[in-house]
Amino acid sequence: MPIAQMKTNFKFGSDAARTDFLDEAASELSVILRKPLPAIMVMLDDCSMYMNKSEDTVFFAEFRYILPQECADCKSEFLKELADRMLALIQKHTHVDPYRIYMQFTEMTREGAWRYTG
C-alpha cells in the first residue's frame, strides 16, 4: 500500500480545506504510482515544528511506494516527477517556502508491501 505520511505546523483555514488537500494528495499519488485510489493511504499530522530558530510554516512528508514496473528503467525520472508534483501540491495548499519542505522517499519491495485485493 502506498503511504504518504505528512507533518506540518500549517493551520488549514477549515476542515474542508484540509480535506481538499488530503483528497488531492491521494488522487495525485494514485495517478503517479499507478495504483487504484482505494489502495492509497495519506496521513496528515498537525504538530509543533521548529526550524532555524523559527516556527514559520514547515512541512515534512514521507512517501512509501512500490516503483511501477513500467518505471523500472527510469527510476530517477519517476522520482523527479513524484517530488515535483508533490512539492507543487504542498505549495498550492500551504504556500510554504519550498526551502522549508522536506520530502523522503522510501521504495518498498512488492513482497514486503501490503497488497490491494479489491
Side-chain angles (χ1 to χ4, degrees):
M1 170 190 307
I3 299 170
Q5 186 170 354
M6 302 173 282
K7 298 176 185 246
T8 187
N9 61 351
F10 178 77
K11 304 296 181 210
F12 285 88
S14 66
D15 289 342
R18 180 185 170 93
T19 299
D20 286 346
F21 170 73
L22 291 170
D23 283 344
E24 193 170 344
S27 294
E28 277 289 290
L29 288 168
S30 175
V31 171
I32 296 165
L33 299 174
R34 298 159 177 88
K35 294 289 183 191
L37 190 56
I40 305 293
M41 179 186 289
V42 292
M43 297 177 273
L44 180 62
D45 293 324
D46 299 323
C47 60
S48 299
M49 298 178 84
Y50 190 74
M51 185 181 112
N52 195 22
K53 297 184 179 186
S54 169
E55 291 182 350
D56 290 346
T57 301
V58 65
F59 203 101
F60 172 79
E62 178 186 7
F63 302 96
R64 295 181 189 187
Y65 66 93
I66 297 171
L67 184 67
Q69 290 178 343
E70 60 269 28
C71 299
D73 294 333
C74 54
K75 184 175 176 179
S76 62
E77 290 89 356
F78 167 81
L79 285 173
K80 181 176 181 346
E81 177 186 5
L82 176 55
D84 289 349
R85 288 174 70 171
M86 296 314 296
L87 177 66
L89 179 86
I90 292 166
Q91 286 187 284
K92 172 184 170 185
H93 286 270
T94 67
H95 306 288
V96 62
D97 180 338
Y99 292 103
R100 294 180 67 84
I101 298 173
Y102 291 84
M103 294 186 284
Q104 178 180 359
F105 303 94
T106 303
E107 183 178 354
M108 300 181 302
T109 64
R110 291 190 188 285
E111 298 76 28
W114 176 86
R115 290 184 176 90
Y116 175 69
T117 57

